[in-house]
PDB file of all heavy atoms in Angstrom:
ATOM      1  N   ALA X  44      -1.607 -17.255   4.639  1.00  0.00           N
ATOM      2  CA  ALA X  44      -0.357 -17.825   4.775  1.00  0.00           C
ATOM      3  C   ALA X  44       0.460 -17.112   5.802  1.00  0.00           C
ATOM      4  O   ALA X  44       0.037 -16.092   6.435  1.00  0.00           O
ATOM      5  CB  ALA X  44       0.392 -17.829   3.463  1.00  0.00           C
ATOM      6  N   ARG X  73      -3.366  -0.829  19.432  1.00  0.00           N
ATOM      7  CA  ARG X  73      -2.210  -1.425  19.853  1.00  0.00           C
ATOM      8  C   ARG X  73      -1.049  -1.189  18.963  1.00  0.00           C
ATOM      9  O   ARG X  73      -1.239  -0.661  17.863  1.00  0.00           O
ATOM     10  CB  ARG X  73      -2.380  -2.956  20.052  1.00  0.00           C
ATOM     11  CG  ARG X  73      -2.643  -3.633  18.828  1.00  0.00           C
ATOM     12  CD  ARG X  73      -2.565  -5.149  18.858  1.00  0.00           C
ATOM     13  NE  ARG X  73      -3.155  -5.760  17.633  1.00  0.00           N
ATOM     14  CZ  ARG X  73      -2.501  -5.801  16.441  1.00  0.00           C
ATOM     15  NH1 ARG X  73      -1.290  -5.250  16.390  1.00  0.00           N
ATOM     16  NH2 ARG X  73      -3.058  -6.356  15.394  1.00  0.00           N
ATOM     17  N   ILE X  79       7.076 -10.643  14.160  1.00  0.00           N
ATOM     18  CA  ILE X  79       6.793 -11.126  12.781  1.00  0.00           C
ATOM     19  C   ILE X  79       7.356 -10.284  11.791  1.00  0.00           C
ATOM     20  O   ILE X  79       7.780 -10.650  10.711  1.00  0.00           O
ATOM     21  CB  ILE X  79       5.229 -11.413  12.635  1.00  0.00           C
ATOM     22  CG1 ILE X  79       4.968 -12.239  11.418  1.00  0.00           C
ATOM     23  CG2 ILE X  79       4.554  -9.988  12.408  1.00  0.00           C
ATOM     24  CD1 ILE X  79       5.202 -13.716  11.664  1.00  0.00           C
ATOM     25  N   LEU X 100       6.464   9.278  16.620  1.00  0.00           N
ATOM     26  CA  LEU X 100       7.917   9.093  16.019  1.00  0.00           C
ATOM     27  C   LEU X 100       8.536   7.837  16.584  1.00  0.00           C
ATOM     28  O   LEU X 100       9.349   7.247  15.959  1.00  0.00           O
ATOM     29  CB  LEU X 100       8.688  10.328  16.380  1.00  0.00           C
ATOM     30  CG  LEU X 100       8.412  11.558  15.586  1.00  0.00           C
ATOM     31  CD1 LEU X 100       9.311  12.704  15.913  1.00  0.00           C
ATOM     32  CD2 LEU X 100       8.607  11.342  14.085  1.00  0.00           C
ATOM     33  N   LYS X 108      13.808   0.105  12.918  1.00  0.00           N
ATOM     34  CA  LYS X 108      14.857  -0.700  13.556  1.00  0.00           C
ATOM     35  C   LYS X 108      14.560  -2.208  13.311  1.00  0.00           C
ATOM     36  O   LYS X 108      15.441  -3.049  13.467  1.00  0.00           O
ATOM     37  CB  LYS X 108      14.920  -0.328  15.003  1.00  0.00           C
ATOM     38  CG  LYS X 108      15.636   0.958  15.373  1.00  0.00           C
ATOM     39  CD  LYS X 108      15.672   1.266  16.828  1.00  0.00           C
ATOM     40  CE  LYS X 108      16.496   2.598  17.005  1.00  0.00           C
ATOM     41  NZ  LYS X 108      16.404   3.026  18.429  1.00  0.00           N
ATOM     42  N   LEU X 126       2.462  14.682  12.583  1.00  0.00           N
ATOM     43  CA  LEU X 126       3.292  13.465  12.616  1.00  0.00           C
ATOM     44  C   LEU X 126       4.100  13.357  11.248  1.00  0.00           C
ATOM     45  O   LEU X 126       5.220  12.938  11.224  1.00  0.00           O
ATOM     46  CB  LEU X 126       2.498  12.214  12.889  1.00  0.00           C
ATOM     47  CG  LEU X 126       3.207  10.874  12.799  1.00  0.00           C
ATOM     48  CD1 LEU X 126       4.249  10.763  13.870  1.00  0.00           C
ATOM     49  CD2 LEU X 126       2.169   9.804  13.046  1.00  0.00           C
ATOM     50  N   ASP X 136      11.926  12.691   3.673  1.00  0.00           N
ATOM     51  CA  ASP X 136      10.605  12.494   2.916  1.00  0.00           C
ATOM     52  C   ASP X 136      10.502  11.061   2.389  1.00  0.00           C
ATOM     53  O   ASP X 136       9.409  10.506   2.267  1.00  0.00           O
ATOM     54  CB  ASP X 136      10.478  13.446   1.824  1.00  0.00           C
ATOM     55  CG  ASP X 136      10.448  14.957   2.264  1.00  0.00           C
ATOM     56  OD1 ASP X 136      10.628  15.182   3.362  1.00  0.00           O
ATOM     57  OD2 ASP X 136      10.147  15.859   1.396  1.00  0.00           O
ATOM     58  N   ARG X 160     -12.751   1.491   8.595  1.00  0.00           N
ATOM     59  CA  ARG X 160     -14.007   1.242   9.439  1.00  0.00           C
ATOM     60  C   ARG X 160     -14.705   2.526   9.755  1.00  0.00           C
ATOM     61  O   ARG X 160     -15.890   2.482  10.066  1.00  0.00           O
ATOM     62  CB  ARG X 160     -13.604   0.470  10.731  1.00  0.00           C
ATOM     63  CG  ARG X 160     -13.195  -0.965  10.521  1.00  0.00           C
ATOM     64  CD  ARG X 160     -12.652  -1.506  11.784  1.00  0.00           C
ATOM     65  NE  ARG X 160     -12.279  -2.919  11.626  1.00  0.00           N
ATOM     66  CZ  ARG X 160     -11.141  -3.316  11.238  1.00  0.00           C
ATOM     67  NH1 ARG X 160     -10.194  -2.428  10.918  1.00  0.00           N
ATOM     68  NH2 ARG X 160     -10.825  -4.582  11.118  1.00  0.00           N
ATOM     69  N   GLU X 166     -12.433  15.354   2.968  1.00  0.00           N
ATOM     70  CA  GLU X 166     -12.327  15.179   1.513  1.00  0.00           C
ATOM     71  C   GLU X 166     -10.976  14.614   1.161  1.00  0.00           C
ATOM     72  O   GLU X 166      -9.959  15.195   1.586  1.00  0.00           O
ATOM     73  CB  GLU X 166     -12.651  16.532   0.785  1.00  0.00           C
ATOM     74  CG  GLU X 166     -12.959  16.478  -0.650  1.00  0.00           C
ATOM     75  CD  GLU X 166     -11.676  16.442  -1.482  1.00  0.00           C
ATOM     76  OE1 GLU X 166     -10.731  17.015  -1.230  1.00  0.00           O
ATOM     77  OE2 GLU X 166     -11.625  15.609  -2.430  1.00  0.00           O
ATOM     78  N   ARG X 177       3.136  18.612   3.767  1.00  0.00           N
ATOM     79  CA  ARG X 177       3.762  18.372   5.105  1.00  0.00           C
ATOM     80  C   ARG X 177       5.042  17.511   4.947  1.00  0.00           C
ATOM     81  O   ARG X 177       5.763  17.370   6.001  1.00  0.00           O
ATOM     82  CB  ARG X 177       2.732  17.731   6.058  1.00  0.00           C
ATOM     83  CG  ARG X 177       1.704  18.743   6.501  1.00  0.00           C
ATOM     84  CD  ARG X 177       0.675  18.046   7.391  1.00  0.00           C
ATOM     85  NE  ARG X 177      -0.252  18.886   7.931  1.00  0.00           N
ATOM     86  CZ  ARG X 177      -0.181  19.630   9.083  1.00  0.00           C
ATOM     87  NH1 ARG X 177       0.981  19.510   9.732  1.00  0.00           N
ATOM     88  NH2 ARG X 177      -1.099  20.367   9.542  1.00  0.00           N
ATOM     89  N   SER X 186      -8.405   2.157  -2.692  1.00  0.00           N
ATOM     90  CA  SER X 186      -9.885   2.342  -2.946  1.00  0.00           C
ATOM     91  C   SER X 186     -10.714   1.267  -2.257  1.00  0.00           C
ATOM     92  O   SER X 186     -10.580   0.087  -2.578  1.00  0.00           O
ATOM     93  CB  SER X 186     -10.091   2.230  -4.427  1.00  0.00           C
ATOM     94  OG  SER X 186     -11.534   2.299  -4.712  1.00  0.00           O
ATOM     95  N   LEU X 200     -10.481   7.738  -9.497  1.00  0.00           N
ATOM     96  CA  LEU X 200      -9.850   8.268  -8.274  1.00  0.00           C
ATOM     97  C   LEU X 200      -8.412   8.490  -8.448  1.00  0.00           C
ATOM     98  O   LEU X 200      -7.849   9.571  -8.097  1.00  0.00           O
ATOM     99  CB  LEU X 200     -10.055   7.246  -7.135  1.00  0.00           C
ATOM    100  CG  LEU X 200      -9.205   7.432  -5.806  1.00  0.00           C
ATOM    101  CD1 LEU X 200      -9.603   8.789  -5.194  1.00  0.00           C
ATOM    102  CD2 LEU X 200      -9.562   6.253  -4.875  1.00  0.00           C
ATOM    103  N   ASP X 235       2.672   5.608 -10.339  1.00  0.00           N
ATOM    104  CA  ASP X 235       4.013   5.033 -10.291  1.00  0.00           C
ATOM    105  C   ASP X 235       4.106   3.589 -10.044  1.00  0.00           C
ATOM    106  O   ASP X 235       5.055   2.922 -10.401  1.00  0.00           O
ATOM    107  CB  ASP X 235       4.809   5.694  -9.134  1.00  0.00           C
ATOM    108  CG  ASP X 235       5.128   7.145  -9.441  1.00  0.00           C
ATOM    109  OD1 ASP X 235       4.259   7.994  -9.342  1.00  0.00           O
ATOM    110  OD2 ASP X 235       6.292   7.494  -9.973  1.00  0.00           O
ATOM    111  N   GLU X 252       5.378 -13.085 -15.197  1.00  0.00           N
ATOM    112  CA  GLU X 252       4.496 -12.969 -16.399  1.00  0.00           C
ATOM    113  C   GLU X 252       3.886 -11.613 -16.523  1.00  0.00           C
ATOM    114  O   GLU X 252       3.798 -11.089 -17.669  1.00  0.00           O
ATOM    115  CB  GLU X 252       3.444 -14.068 -16.327  1.00  0.00           C
ATOM    116  CG  GLU X 252       2.415 -14.032 -17.381  1.00  0.00           C
ATOM    117  CD  GLU X 252       2.947 -14.297 -18.820  1.00  0.00           C
ATOM    118  OE1 GLU X 252       4.151 -14.702 -18.919  1.00  0.00           O
ATOM    119  OE2 GLU X 252       2.242 -14.101 -19.739  1.00  0.00           O
ATOM    120  N   GLU X 259       5.864  -5.976 -23.045  1.00  0.00           N
ATOM    121  CA  GLU X 259       5.411  -6.150 -24.438  1.00  0.00           C
ATOM    122  C   GLU X 259       4.483  -4.984 -24.792  1.00  0.00           C
ATOM    123  O   GLU X 259       4.433  -4.648 -25.958  1.00  0.00           O
ATOM    124  CB  GLU X 259       4.749  -7.538 -24.487  1.00  0.00           C
ATOM    125  CG  GLU X 259       5.688  -8.644 -24.528  1.00  0.00           C
ATOM    126  CD  GLU X 259       4.909 -10.003 -24.605  1.00  0.00           C
ATOM    127  OE1 GLU X 259       3.694  -9.911 -24.456  1.00  0.00           O
ATOM    128  OE2 GLU X 259       5.615 -11.088 -24.700  1.00  0.00           O
TER     129      GLU X 259
END
Side-chain angles (χ1 to χ4, degrees):
R73 60 168 171 78
I79 197 76
L100 285 182
K108 285 177 177 174
L126 178 60
D136 295 9
R160 295 173 177 83
E166 195 279 319
R177 287 179 175 274
S186 172
L200 168 59
D235 290 82
E252 173 65 8
E259 288 176 353

